[in-house]
Amino acid sequence: MPEYQVQHPRVTNAQLIGVTLGNALEFYDFLVFSFFAVQIGQCFFPAASQQTSLLSALATFGAGFFMRPLGALVIGGLGDRLGRRPMLMVSFALIGLSTLGVAVTPDYASIGIAAPVIVILCRLMQGFALGGEVGASSAFLAEVAPPSRRGRYVSLQFVGHGLSMLAAGLVGVGLSAVMDDAALAGWGWRIAMCLGVAIVPIGLALRRTLPETMDADVSAEPAPRLATYRGVALFAFLTMLSGTIATYVLGYMTTYAKTVLLLPSGVSFGATVAVGLAYTFGSIAAGMGSDRFGRRPLMIWPTAIATVLIMPGFWLLSHLPGPATLYSVSFALRFLLSMATATAFITVTESFPPRVRSGAIAVVYAVATSVFGGSTQFVVAWLTGVTGDPLAPAWYMLVAALLGLFAMSLARETAPICVGEKHDEPDAARVVGVAIG
């Protein structure tokens, strides 16, 4: 197996922020859509019952995920051939356009069936762009990082997720404090989306200055046999599946608190502030801790503890609904699982060689998120409505956590400090993978 040499060009903090803004905008948009799912459903999908309207909105939200594998193949693959920088520009521009499209589309009462059609098309475009964004941006961060700080650099993806959750939660709390439910349903949610779109010009300006990390000699090499990395791909799929379901269940807590626990909007939006803080701190801990202690401990132990806490946490929510239980349970589970998920993603990113890194990361991430990310909130809402059991989200989340824990327990260590790879990219076939597959 050849050693892959990668240059580590110097980047500024502003450039690193520009790279992480793409996935951050994804999470901001997802949260806004999730927070205002009830209002968006009423706007574009009027129905006889609120449950039907909500499910229609969540199904539209999930539609974008089906385009992610195609975006991963196209944008992620081109990132391995043409370079990381041009694909980072393309994907972010498409994300911004599609998000703006949803924000400015007139409601069903104004233009009829055209309204939901336009919204669905915008979601499909956004899914296509996001399918390739994660591969190109993660590859870039891994390749500009000094080996001993690779965990911290790659974890910036998840730090961005957490900060965007925090921002979305604060926006939701602020809007609910100054608007009644009618105003939120009519146009308040559009303000929240437009605030996200406002960062697109900044992100594009910062991304234009990025150095290219994909060496022309490497891109000209024949791609290695993907069968060599089937263990890595399986590990990536199972851990991303687990992390995706956890993320979207916890992201659904605002709607869950409002529709199932019957808490006020202001209290419900506060759950995302707690989740955003936990996601940010957990991701920072993952990057710093995994660089110092290795990847395995920072994956396995947080997931194991979270697995034990999921059912008791949701039981407390259903029996003692209120701000204290909602915020504490959301924070604890999100902190532990973000630490584990971010570390698993670091492992995946450094396990693929540069020649296929962008496309491989994009594809495995897109498949997991398209199947389980797009469907999780719909499934959770449907299960809760059909069974009447407020613990339905917990059971779904528990199964996902167990699958992730299984994969993590079989993974080998990849941190350079642990495997003695101080300067070169690690030989993934030798130092990473899962015993299964």
Side-chain angles (χ1 to χ4, degrees):
M1 181 69 61
E3 294 287 344
Y4 291 92
Q5 303 291 333
V6 176
Q7 300 297 320
H8 302 288
R10 294 180 62 85
V11 291
T12 65
N13 291 336
Q15 289 172 326
L16 291 176
I17 292 172
V19 174
T20 60
L21 281 178
N23 277 333
L25 182 57
E26 169 200 1
F27 265 70
Y28 180 87
D29 173 67
F30 135 66
L31 287 166
V32 169
F33 206 108
S34 176
F35 296 162
F36 296 105
V38 174
Q39 292 87 350
I40 293 174
Q42 295 169 354
C43 182
F44 296 115
F45 306 97
S49 70
Q50 179 173 306
Q51 178 74 358
T52 301
S53 180
L54 172 62
L55 290 176
S56 297
L58 294 178
T60 299
F61 171 72
F65 287 85
F66 291 106
M67 289 293 287
R68 289 197 178 198
L70 179 60
L73 288 171
V74 175
I75 299 177
L78 288 175
D80 288 326
R81 295 176 57 191
L82 304 179
R84 318 305 190 200
R85 181 177 170 275
M87 294 304 102
L88 287 171
M89 295 291 292
V90 169
S91 62
F92 197 52
L94 290 176
I95 292 169
L97 286 173
S98 56
T99 304
L100 179 63
V102 174
V104 301
T105 299
D107 60 17
Y108 188 94
S110 300
I111 60 174
I113 192 64
V117 170
I118 292 172
V119 170
I120 291 171
L121 289 175
C122 288
R123 288 294 302 168
L124 292 175
M125 180 194 299
Q126 189 178 57
F128 177 84
L130 290 168
E133 163 73 22
V134 67
S137 57
S138 299
F140 178 90
L141 290 170
E143 290 159 7
V144 297
S148 62
R149 297 172 65 87
R150 191 182 296 128
R152 300 180 203 192
Y153 275 57
V154 177
S155 70
L156 288 175
Q157 293 275 53
F158 291 82
V159 174
H161 294 175
L163 291 174
S164 65
M165 286 184 175
L166 179 59
L170 292 173
V171 169
V173 170
L175 290 176
S176 65
V178 299
M179 295 182 180
D180 57 24
D181 287 343
L184 286 173
W187 51 277
W189 64 269
R190 296 181 189 272
I191 293 177
M193 279 198 161
C194 287
L195 289 174
V197 175
I199 71 170
V200 173
I202 300 172
L204 287 173
L206 292 174
R207 288 188 175 199
R208 286 185 60 190
T209 67
L210 295 176
E212 181 54 65
T213 62
M214 186 63 177
D215 188 87
D217 293 336
V218 175
S219 63
E221 293 177 358
R225 293 176 63 247
L226 294 181
T228 306
Y229 299 94
R230 61 181 179 272
V232 179
L234 181 57
F235 168 80
F237 179 76
L238 291 176
T239 54
M240 292 304 102
L241 172 160
S242 176
T244 295
I245 290 177
T247 294
Y248 286 84
V249 169
L250 291 171
Y252 183 69
M253 292 300 284
T254 293
T255 302
Y256 178 80
K258 186 172 182 179
T259 61
V260 177
L261 303 181
L262 304 179
L263 296 174
S265 294
V267 173
S268 300
F269 282 122
T272 305
V273 176
V275 168
L277 286 170
Y279 206 134
T280 303
F281 293 141
S283 300
I284 292 172
M288 298 180 65
S290 67
D291 277 339
R292 182 172 182 182
F293 302 110
R295 316 301 187 213
R296 277 176 53 83
L298 271 292
M299 289 190 291
I300 294 173
W301 285 109
T303 304
I305 296 170
T307 300
V308 173
L309 295 179
I310 289 172
M311 295 308 298
F314 274 82
W315 184 90
L316 279 174
L317 282 175
S318 63
H319 287 76
L320 298 171
T325 52
L326 179 63
Y327 301 158
S328 59
V329 170
S330 299
F331 185 93
L333 291 177
R334 182 66 275 176
F335 178 84
L336 292 166
L337 292 171
S338 64
M339 191 187 307
T341 302
T343 306
F345 191 80
I346 294 164
T347 301
V348 172
T349 301
E350 65 189 350
S351 300
F352 287 111
R355 176 60 183 84
V356 297
R357 180 175 286 148
S358 174
I361 293 172
V363 169
V364 293
Y365 185 84
V367 171
T369 55
S370 64
V371 175
F372 297 96
S375 64
T376 290
Q377 295 196 353
F378 182 91
V379 170
V380 166
W382 179 79
L383 284 174
T384 304
V386 169
T387 64
D389 182 5
L391 297 182
W395 288 110
Y396 195 59
M397 190 174 173
L398 178 62
V399 173
L402 289 171
L403 285 173
L405 184 60
F406 170 73
M408 293 169 185
S409 67
L410 296 177
R412 299 172 191 156
E413 185 57 70
T414 65
I417 193 171
C418 297
V419 299
E421 302 271 357
K422 295 296 185 180
H423 302 290
D424 299 329
E425 291 295 297
D427 181 341
R430 175 163 52 85
V431 301
V432 75
V434 186
I436 53 177

